[in-house]
Amino acid sequence: DGGITQSPKYLFRKEGQNVTLSCEQNLNHDAMYWYRQDPGQGLRLIYYSQIVNDFQKGDIAEGYSVSREKKESFPLTVTSAQKNPTAFYLCASKGREGQPQHFGDGTRLSIL
Amino acid sequence: AQTVTQSQPEMSVQEAETVTLSCTYDTSESDYYLFWYKQPPSRQMILVIRQEAYKQQNATENRFSVNFQKAAKSFSLKISDSQLGDAAMYFCAYSEAYSGAGSYQLTFGKGTKLSVIP
């Protein structure tokens, strides 16, 4: 079945540590996205990528980094510069124009 | 910048009854897409329904339908014959129609928590 796989489901970060969240899709979608969700809030865009080897900052990119070396993969690194990383992170991908974004099951990141 | 507003943080409905969730948005574009996503306790984001702004006909998907008022920039979701499984957070979202300098990114409202009473 085609879909988006995020791992791990739960992740804990120590102070000063970088952590990487994985996102893989087998939908053959060109565009991929990372969103952050805080309690009682909607989703906010961190980074997006429309093609391989290209990505753009979203609304809240500070303290995060991404790469897009393969069409299927769009990992997100939460760096030590992100002072409030505790949140639920959702990855999404999108096919052709007009089609909706499809979401993974998310990763819950917490601080130890 | 586009904004999406959901003015009802929480709503409740009796099982088998009908409920309407409100959403307004702000944009200077004439072409765009609007979506309703459902997020149950499992935290998955599930697409409920999609509306294309250039289509005047309101979208419907089984028990879910929208009332799209383009001039008023309003996009409400009606759930008929509510079921226990409809209990979830519902998010209204906006997307541009053309990539251009953008990304087809989704702009979300803050959500409405729907409870279904047996």
Side-chain angles (χ1 to χ4, degrees), chain A:
Chain A
D1 286 340
I4 300 173
T5 301
Q6 288 189 242
S7 62
K9 194 174 179 75
Y10 300 96
L11 187 58
F12 298 91
R13 194 191 90 168
K14 295 180 181 178
E15 293 288 341
Q17 186 181 43
N18 294 351
V19 292
T20 297
L21 285 61
S22 171
C23 178
E24 303 277 332
Q25 55 101 358
N26 60 4
L27 298 167
N28 199 34
H29 287 170
D30 286 317
M32 297 186 75
Y33 308 81
W34 274 105
Y35 292 91
R36 170 179 171 142
Q37 185 178 25
D38 293 285
Q41 301 291 320
L43 280 65
R44 293 182 291 167
L45 183 67
I46 305 172
Y47 267 98
Y48 66 93
S49 169
Q50 297 192 78
I51 55 172
V52 175
N53 293 323
D54 184 64
F55 47 83
Q56 304 295 329
K57 292 182 179 180
D59 300 323
I60 55 166
E62 186 174 350
Y64 300 97
S65 66
V66 293
S67 63
R68 186 86 187 276
E69 297 177 1
K70 299 186 300 181
K71 187 175 185 178
E72 301 79 16
S73 179
F74 190 41
L76 173 74
T77 296
V78 183
T79 75
S80 56
Q82 172 49 248
K83 296 307 178 188
N84 184 23
T86 298
F88 188 63
Y89 291 85
L90 282 157
C91 178
S93 71
K94 183 184 178 309
R96 58 186 174 87
E97 180 182 317
Q99 294 302 307
Q101 291 185 18
H102 295 263
F103 286 84
D105 289 343
T107 293
R108 159 68 69 184
L109 175 62
S110 302
I111 295 294
L112 280 178

Side-chain angles (χ1 to χ4, degrees), chain B:
Chain B
Q2 291 81 13
T3 59
V4 176
T5 302
Q6 294 178 249
S7 59
Q8 306 152 315
E10 296 188 26
M11 294 276 289
S12 61
V13 62
Q14 206 76 29
E15 194 175 5
E17 296 295 311
T18 295
V19 64
T20 298
L21 308 184
S22 301
C23 173
T24 59
Y25 58 94
D26 187 27
T27 183
S28 58
E29 303 294 327
S30 58
D31 263 348
Y32 46 88
Y33 296 95
L34 295 165
F35 306 87
W36 278 98
Y37 280 89
K38 169 184 177 181
Q39 188 179 44
S42 64
R43 307 293 302 263
Q44 285 182 297
M45 289 292 285
I46 302 165
L47 178 68
V48 175
I49 202 165
R50 178 184 68 161
Q51 176 78 43
E52 298 168 80
Y54 65 86
K55 288 187 176 179
Q56 293 185 342
Q57 186 174 7
N58 289 325
T60 63
E61 286 288 341
N62 301 314
R63 297 182 294 107
F64 299 88
S65 62
V66 298
N67 183 5
F68 173 50
Q69 301 289 327
K70 191 173 184 179
K73 296 181 182 176
S74 170
F75 182 60
S76 60
L77 174 70
K78 186 172 82 172
I79 307 174
S80 303
D81 185 26
S82 297
Q83 301 175 0
L84 295 177
D86 295 333
M89 283 290 289
Y90 285 82
F91 291 97
C92 178
Y94 166 100
S95 171
E96 60 208 6
Y98 305 105
S99 178
S103 65
Y104 300 117
Q105 72 178 76
L106 289 170
T107 300
F108 286 86
K110 292 188 175 183
T112 296
K113 183 178 181 181
L114 179 67
S115 301
V116 180
I117 304 165

